[in-house]
Amino acid sequence: MIGFLIQRVLQALMVIVAMSVLVFLGVYAIGNPIDVMIDPASDQALREALIHRYGLDRPLIEQYFVFMNNMLHGDFGESFIYRLPVIGLIWSRFPATLELALTAMMIATCLGIPLGLWAGYKPDSWSAKAIMTFSVLGFSVPTFWVGLLLIMTFAVELGWLPSGGRGPVSNVFGLKLSIGSLEGWSYIILPAFNLALFKLGLLIRLTRAGTIEVMSSDYVRFARAQGLSEGKVVGLHVLKNISIPIVTVFGLELGSTLAFAVVTETVFNWPGMGKLIIDSITVLDRPVMVAYLILVVFLFVLINLVVDLVYGQLDPRIRVKAAS
C-alpha cells in the first residue's frame, strides 16, 4: 500500500506542475490587464509605471518562475481590482461554495444510489420506469431554467423559501458556514437541489446499469442459493461490486461541483467562488484567475488521489497491479 501511495503522489505532483504551466500560459495569452485597469486616455508614463509595478515587463518565463516561487510560499499576489491578497479573497468565498457543493453531493448520493439500486433490482416495474424518466430530465433540463422554476414555485408563488442569497453564518470547524442553523438551511436547499439534479440523474443511471449487470452474475446466484435474504444480497454483494464506478463518478462530480457551480451561484445570488471568477475574467484580474485555476487543479488532483486510495481499499487487485 505504501508503494501504491508513493506512486500516486508522484503522479499527482507531475500533473500539478504541468497544469500550472498550461494555466499560466493560457491566462497570459488572453490579454493585457492594464488595458482594463486604467483609462484609455491615460498617458504612456502611467501605463508603463503600472506594467513595471506588476512585473508585466519581464520575460514570460521569468514571470512564471516568480509566480511559482511565490505560490510555494503561499503568496498568490494581489488582486488588480480588489487590491486585496488573492488567497484571502478566494478563501473568503470558498466556504460558501464548499457547503453548497457538499450539500448538493449529499442530496445526489442519498437519493441517487437507492433509486438506482431499486431501478436495477426491479427494471420492469412502473416505479423503475418513473425513476429513469426522472433521471433523463436531470440530464436534459438546463440548470438555469430549473433554478428559475424553483425560485418561481417555492419562493414567489408559495413563499416557503428565500429566492436567493446566503443565510446567517456561524463558525463550524473554523469555517463560516450557513448550515449550522435552520434559517441557513432554508437558503441553501434550493440552490443545492438545483446543483444536485444533474449529479442525481447520473448516479441513478450508473447505479442501475451496474445493478442489472451484477444481479445476473454467478456470485449473486450462489448467495441466493445459500439462503441469504435479498437485502443482504443487494447490500453485501451487489452494492460492494458496483462501488468502484460510483466512487469514480462521485469524486469527479465533487470536483466539478466545487469548481463550476457558477450558473447556480449566479441564479441564486450565492456569494461563492464561481461568481468571483466570472467577475475576474470580465475585468482580466489575472492573479485571481491564475490562483483560482491552480486551486481547481489542486482540488481535482487531490480528489482523484483520494479516489485512487479508496480503489485500493475496495479492490486489492488494483494495489497489486500498481505495485507490479
Side-chain angles (χ1 to χ4, degrees):
M1 189 64 184
I2 299 298
F4 179 75
L5 175 61
I6 293 174
Q7 181 183 4
R8 288 295 185 265
V9 170
L10 291 176
Q11 290 175 351
L13 291 175
M14 288 189 293
V15 170
I16 291 175
V17 172
M19 289 304 300
S20 70
V21 175
L22 294 177
V23 166
F24 190 84
L25 293 177
V27 172
Y28 183 88
I30 65 173
N32 190 345
I34 301 300
D35 296 333
V36 180
M37 295 172 60
I38 63 175
D39 192 307
S42 301
D43 59 16
Q44 188 64 25
L46 176 60
R47 179 184 175 87
E48 291 178 355
L50 283 175
I51 290 175
H52 179 72
R53 174 185 174 184
Y54 292 109
L56 300 178
D57 54 346
R58 299 178 181 179
L60 179 59
I61 187 68
E62 183 180 345
Q63 291 186 45
Y64 171 74
F65 282 114
V66 169
F67 163 75
M68 287 297 294
N69 180 65
N70 292 337
M71 185 183 73
L72 292 175
H73 289 86
D75 181 11
F76 286 86
E78 183 182 274
S79 168
F80 292 162
I81 305 302
Y82 296 98
R83 298 292 192 271
L84 295 171
V86 169
I87 192 66
L89 187 61
I90 293 178
W91 182 250
S92 67
R93 306 290 187 96
F94 179 72
T97 299
L98 177 65
E99 67 175 350
L100 179 62
L102 291 179
T103 305
M105 291 305 300
M106 180 183 68
I107 293 172
T109 304
C110 292
L111 293 178
I113 294 178
L115 291 176
L117 281 171
W118 178 257
Y121 184 70
K122 297 285 187 180
D124 297 323
S125 64
W126 67 268
S127 57
K129 294 177 181 177
I131 290 170
M132 295 311 296
T133 301
F134 173 76
S135 71
V136 171
L137 290 176
F139 280 108
S140 307
V141 181
T143 302
F144 72 89
W145 188 83
V146 175
L148 293 175
L149 187 63
L150 291 173
I151 292 173
M152 288 294 297
T153 303
F154 294 99
V156 178
E157 296 295 334
L158 298 176
W160 291 352
L161 297 169
S163 61
R166 192 183 183 205
V169 299
S170 57
N171 283 324
V172 180
F173 301 113
L175 298 175
K176 293 184 178 179
L177 304 178
S178 63
I179 56 176
S181 64
L182 289 177
E183 186 179 358
W185 276 103
S186 69
Y187 279 87
I188 198 174
I189 192 66
L190 285 184
F193 182 78
N194 182 53
L195 191 59
L197 194 58
F198 177 84
K199 284 78 176 155
L200 176 58
L202 182 61
L203 284 173
I204 288 174
R205 299 181 71 85
L206 183 66
T207 306
R208 174 186 178 273
T211 302
I212 291 176
E213 180 181 355
V214 170
M215 289 297 291
S216 61
S217 61
D218 291 337
Y219 52 82
V220 170
R221 294 194 188 98
F222 292 151
R224 284 173 167 168
Q226 289 175 346
L228 293 180
S229 65
E230 288 299 300
K232 289 185 177 180
V233 170
V234 173
L236 295 178
H237 295 278
V238 175
L239 186 57
K240 182 178 180 180
N241 284 279
I242 65 173
S243 58
I244 287 183
I246 291 176
V247 169
T248 303
V249 170
F250 181 89
L252 293 176
E253 290 301 316
L254 176 60
S256 67
T257 304
L258 283 169
F260 309 119
V262 58
V263 174
T264 298
E265 290 183 356
T266 302
V267 171
F268 289 91
N269 195 28
W270 190 263
M273 295 191 302
K275 194 171 186 306
L276 174 65
I277 189 60
I278 291 299
D279 294 341
S280 300
I281 292 172
T282 303
V283 296
L284 291 180
D285 197 348
R286 188 180 291 175
V288 176
M289 295 161 60
V290 172
Y292 175 82
L293 293 174
I294 292 293
L295 175 63
V296 168
V297 170
F298 177 77
L299 286 174
F300 268 98
V301 170
L302 179 62
I303 290 171
N304 277 280
L305 177 61
V306 173
V307 168
D308 284 342
L309 297 178
V310 173
Y311 280 174
Q313 295 297 323
L314 294 174
D315 189 349
R317 294 172 299 178
I318 295 176
R319 297 200 305 265
V320 174
K321 184 179 180 181
S324 61

